[in-house]
Amino acid sequence: MKRTLPALLLTAALAVTAGCDGSGGGGGDAAEANAARGPIDVWLSNNQEELAWGKAMVEAWNAQHADQKINAQEIPAGTSSEEVIGAAITAGNAPCLIFNTAPAAVPQFQKQGGLVALDSFDGGAAYIAERTGQTADQYKSPDGKFYQLPWKSNPVMIFYNKEIFAKAGLDPERPPLATYDQFLAAARKIKSSGAAQAAIYPAPTSEFFQSWFDFYPLFAAETGGKQLVEGGKAQFDSPEGQRVAEFWKTLYTEGLAPKEKYNGDSFADGKAAMAIVGPWAISVYGNKVKWGAVPVPTSTGKPADQIRTFSDAKNVAMYSACKNRATAWDVMRFATSKEQDGALLAKTGQMPLRTDLATAYPDYFAKNPAYQAFADQAARTVEVPNVPNSVAVWQAFRDAYSESVIFGKKPVPDALGAAADKVDQLAAGS
Amino acid sequence: MSTADTVAAPTTGAATRGPRPAGRGRVAAVLGRHPVGMVLAAPYAVFIAVVFAYPLGFAVWMSFHDYFFAAPGAAVDRPFVGLDNYRAVLADPGVRQSFRNIGVFLVINVPLTTVLALLLAVALNRVVHARTFLRVAFYVPYVTASVAVVGVWLFLFNADGLVNSVLGPLAPDPSWLVNAGLAMPVIAVFVVWKQLGFFILLYLAALQNVPKELYESASVDGAGWWRRFRSVTVPAVRPATALVVILATITGANLFTEPYLLTGGGGPNGASASPVLVMYQRGIQQGQPDVAAAIGVLLVLGVLLISLVNRRLIERD
């Protein structure tokens, strides 16, 4: 008897699971949902500045639409927003809109049947194209549709600590950081002078997204705007990709960038002389650091107005659990109107993905010249590729990068070549 | 009932209790001799079915299908793929490395946990003063969340941490947590320290059942401390040792939090990635729960096998 009960339970469990594949029936009447209006739920980022903007936006909407009120809340806590959203899609309790959808997660959410194609609304694609211009094309899914509305970007640049640079004998107003050679020379000077513990300190950990803040911005700049994967093929196993990887490898090999995770913000704490981040950090560094910002370096020192970088964008997406999609679509347009984009810019310093960004808010940029460079850079950003197995693609790349560039266990060309083969397979959907 | 009948009857407990009402035999055949016991056990059986048997069965089913999480009502195809997920897992160098890593972890962690827990339990059992304080001191790390105590270990073992400051020129380069050869041993030692309190308690409970007369007899025979420990204590707590080894193996094989927090998602070049960490990456981050389930099934089989071998080795007379 002592083994009979467990055996019976397991057998029953297998029988039950064999009988259900978990997939449901039809997806309900999408056309009906697309035309329906009424109250909707939205999730906002838990970043304080963004939350303040979101609450004000919701208040403004609710004041004008008593019968279609928005109920807003922060994204529930979790390891990452993407995991929480993925779980909500599976459970069928995702809100109508999430104002914090990562482009890298969109292919997965789409595969889960969790997103609504915005092209299904009258003038949907046209609205996106008009607001964001050609940049919007990067956010199209392989089926040619938009499952996300390009919302805001944080174009990544090099922040540098002026005091540390001066201490190291480097010009704090015109720092020599345009070419790889200049950058390395400056980094060596910082280190050898003892002005800072590290020249630059990108996270050397293995999470799939970490390459967005070391390799990818420089790769975008070096290639003139190539994505990691284009036309279903990996692009990083190329002379440009190898140059970028070797540049970072030199920083790690010479101890100019530490190989160990830093618990905190190394730039804000004065441990690192440089950081590679977007304009969201300006309000964070505030008065803690006397900082300057320059475009990411290239091997030849391209002019600033030709340099492209990683966008670090977050978008708005509509989720298929939404019943009142017509209202949700109206809210999407309301929240990305010129007025609301201006409010977002003022409250967060993040760049709305608009073609007319620099000209739409002249007063703001006149008052906040520090943000002007980011506004210029926002027009030249590169997004993560919208391909199947997107996260797995980035993890495969990160593993190879970690092995060859950070820890030097494998020659860079071999590691990038092997990773490219794997990425090609993953991007093909296998 | 005649004497002859009684003698001829089988000597089972049931048979010696005389005649039973008709139909009782069939009930007993299903529910055993004590139906009320089954009734009392039913809630737990239901609990096990819901939180263990069903998820396990579902995971096994998932591992044989092209499965991914989908929105309710989404029309998705989840065909049977046979052993494809297992082939993919076994061909993946990252997964193979994670199993090697956990092997290293178990080889360090399980013996160290068992030996230290036993020695400290014996010592604590003999302590007269501050007994409660010492037991609580050993138990506190166990009941404290890893997330909270990891910070202390980072302070100790970072490149510019306390340990390296003390070691000076003898400090390893690369440092502990970014050294492919040292990251997993450091994690193994951390887990030993963290879980020791629980295993000490198991041994302390076992030591209460060792008859004092055995020690007295051994002393009369001239046995010293070491001999008494080896010939009386170790055999007497053997069942507890079996439990400690099996529990340490099971909890160790399910290692996730420590490599995730201490070494930033898998450590230097994947040197501290555990199978459960890889399952999390594949299943949750990368949307491949079928592959994650295959890793899980292999891990369960591996742990079962190791536990079986451990039990045979430890419990053999």
Side-chain angles (χ1 to χ4, degrees), chain A residues 1 5-6 9-10 13-14 16-28 79-80 83 86 88-93 108 111-114 197 205-209 259-261 263 271 320 389 391-392 395-396 399 402-404 407 409 422 426 430, chain B residues 29-32 38 45 48-49 52-54 56-61 66-76 78 92-93 154 157-160 174-178 180 260-270 280-282 284-288:
Chain A
M1 189 66 199
L5 189 62
L9 286 173
L10 275 175
L14 280 166
V16 169
T17 49
C20 66
D21 68 355
S23 58
T79 310
S80 71
E83 287 168 31
I89 289 171
T90 307
N93 58 12
Q108 201 164 299
K111 185 183 174 185
Q112 287 182 273
Q197 194 179 312
T205 48
S206 312
E207 294 94 344
F208 72 90
F209 53 82
K259 296 177 184 177
E260 194 161 18
K261 180 184 174 184
N263 292 295
K271 299 280 181 192
S320 57
N389 299 311
V391 174
Q395 189 67 64
D399 291 346
S402 177
E403 185 180 29
S404 60
F407 296 105
K409 298 286 179 194
K422 195 171 178 181
L426 288 165
S430 52
Chain B
V30 176
L31 298 178
M38 286 302 289
I48 287 289
F52 174 73
Y54 175 74
L56 179 63
F58 193 30
V60 173
W61 182 89
D66 179 7
Y67 186 93
F68 58 91
F69 298 124
V76 293
R78 287 162 176 161
D92 187 330
L154 285 170
F157 284 95
N158 261 341
D160 52 353
S175 187
W176 304 92
L177 297 172
V178 287
Y260 184 75
L261 293 172
L262 268 175
T263 57
N269 204 18
Y280 161 75
Q281 288 177 337
R282 297 282 194 282
I284 306 294
Q285 287 188 328
Q286 297 173 23
Q288 299 172 325

Side-chain angles (χ1 to χ4, degrees), chain A residues 11-12 51 88-89 109 128 164 174 193 205 211 219 238 252-253 272 298-299 304 319 339 348 371 399 422 429:
Chain A
T11 309
L51 202 56
I89 289 171
F109 296 162
I128 292 169
I164 291 177
R174 298 170 62 83
S193 66
T205 48
S211 292
F219 178 74
S238 61
Y252 284 111
T253 307
T298 54
S299 61
Y319 289 78
E339 185 191 348
T348 69
Y371 287 88
D399 291 346
K422 195 171 178 181

Side-chain angles (χ1 to χ4, degrees), chain B:
Chain B
M1 192 181 277
S2 69
T3 312
D5 287 343
T6 310
V7 170
T11 54
T12 59
T16 55
R17 280 189 219 109
R20 289 172 301 185
R24 172 90 187 266
R26 280 194 296 277
V27 173
V30 176
L31 298 178
R33 290 204 311 267
H34 302 290
V36 72
M38 286 302 289
V39 172
L40 292 171
Y44 186 68
V46 170
F47 174 79
I48 287 289
V50 171
V51 305
F52 174 73
Y54 175 74
L56 179 63
F58 193 30
V60 173
W61 182 89
M62 241 195 258
S63 70
F64 288 103
H65 289 77
D66 179 7
Y67 186 93
F68 58 91
F69 298 124
V76 293
D77 190 25
R78 287 162 176 161
F80 176 78
V81 293
L83 293 170
D84 281 6
N85 289 324
Y86 290 91
R87 282 193 204 98
V89 162
L90 293 170
D92 187 330
V95 175
R96 288 203 303 267
Q97 186 183 8
S98 74
F99 276 94
R100 280 197 301 272
N101 292 343
I102 211 68
V104 169
F105 174 89
L106 292 174
V107 163
I108 296 167
N109 176 269
V110 176
L112 203 56
T113 298
T114 310
V115 171
L116 281 177
L118 178 55
L119 291 174
L120 287 166
V122 169
L124 282 172
N125 204 34
R126 295 163 65 96
V127 163
V128 178
H129 301 294
R131 177 184 288 208
T132 307
F133 168 76
L134 288 167
R135 289 183 184 188
V136 169
F138 279 112
Y139 200 68
V140 163
Y142 178 71
V143 292
T144 309
S146 277
V147 177
V149 287
V150 151
V152 177
W153 279 67
L154 285 170
F155 169 72
L156 290 172
F157 284 95
N158 261 341
D160 52 353
L162 193 65
V163 173
N164 281 358
S165 302
V166 171
L167 289 174
L170 298 174
D173 184 27
S175 187
W176 304 92
L177 297 172
V178 287
N179 187 313
L182 292 174
M184 209 53 173
V186 169
I187 289 170
V189 171
F190 170 84
V191 175
V192 169
W193 167 79
K194 190 172 182 321
Q195 295 188 333
L196 211 52
F198 173 69
F199 294 117
I200 287 172
L201 278 190
L202 289 182
Y203 272 125
L204 276 171
L207 287 168
Q208 308 314 306
N209 297 324
V210 184
K212 284 193 169 58
E213 294 80 1
L214 290 177
Y215 289 111
E216 288 163 5
S217 304
S219 295
V220 168
D221 289 343
W225 179 88
W226 173 244
R227 186 60 197 261
R228 288 200 303 273
F229 175 77
R230 219 181 44 162
S231 302
V232 178
T233 308
V234 172
V237 298
R238 188 165 278 169
T241 302
L243 184 64
V244 167
V245 168
I246 287 168
L247 285 178
T249 303
I250 291 168
T251 54
N254 287 296
L255 184 76
F256 171 80
T257 312
E258 288 77 11
Y260 184 75
L261 293 172
L262 268 175
T263 57
N269 204 18
S272 66
S274 66
V276 178
L277 182 63
V278 176
M279 279 172 70
Y280 161 75
Q281 288 177 337
R282 297 282 194 282
I284 306 294
Q285 287 188 328
Q286 297 173 23
Q288 299 172 325
D290 47 0
V291 172
I295 299 171
V297 170
L298 292 175
L299 185 63
V300 167
L301 292 175
V303 172
L304 278 174
L305 188 69
I306 293 169
S307 300
L308 199 67
V309 171
N310 280 339
R311 202 175 151 181
R312 286 279 154 83
L313 289 174
I314 294 163
E315 291 187 345
R316 76 181 193 278
D317 290 320

Side-chain angles (χ1 to χ4, degrees), chain A residues 282-368:
Chain A
I282 293 175
S283 59
V284 175
Y285 297 147
N287 301 322
K288 280 188 218 166
V289 183
K290 278 189 75 181
W291 58 269
V294 292
V296 296
T298 54
S299 61
T300 55
K302 287 179 183 175
D305 63 356
Q306 287 177 30
I307 288 179
R308 294 178 176 275
T309 189
F310 171 55
S311 65
D312 192 18
K314 287 287 190 295
N315 296 333
V316 193
M318 189 186 298
Y319 289 78
S320 57
C322 187
K323 297 284 182 281
N324 297 316
R325 294 179 189 174
T327 297
W329 174 238
D330 289 346
V331 169
M332 268 181 148
R333 287 182 299 165
F334 175 81
T336 55
S337 61
K338 187 176 172 184
E339 185 191 348
Q340 286 299 333
D341 279 347
L344 177 78
L345 179 65
K347 279 201 167 78
T348 69
Q350 299 181 61
M351 306 289 149
L353 279 160
R354 302 183 68 92
T355 49
D356 58 352
L357 179 63
T359 55
Y361 312 103
D363 294 351
Y364 175 83
F365 289 112
K367 265 189 224 163
N368 301 280

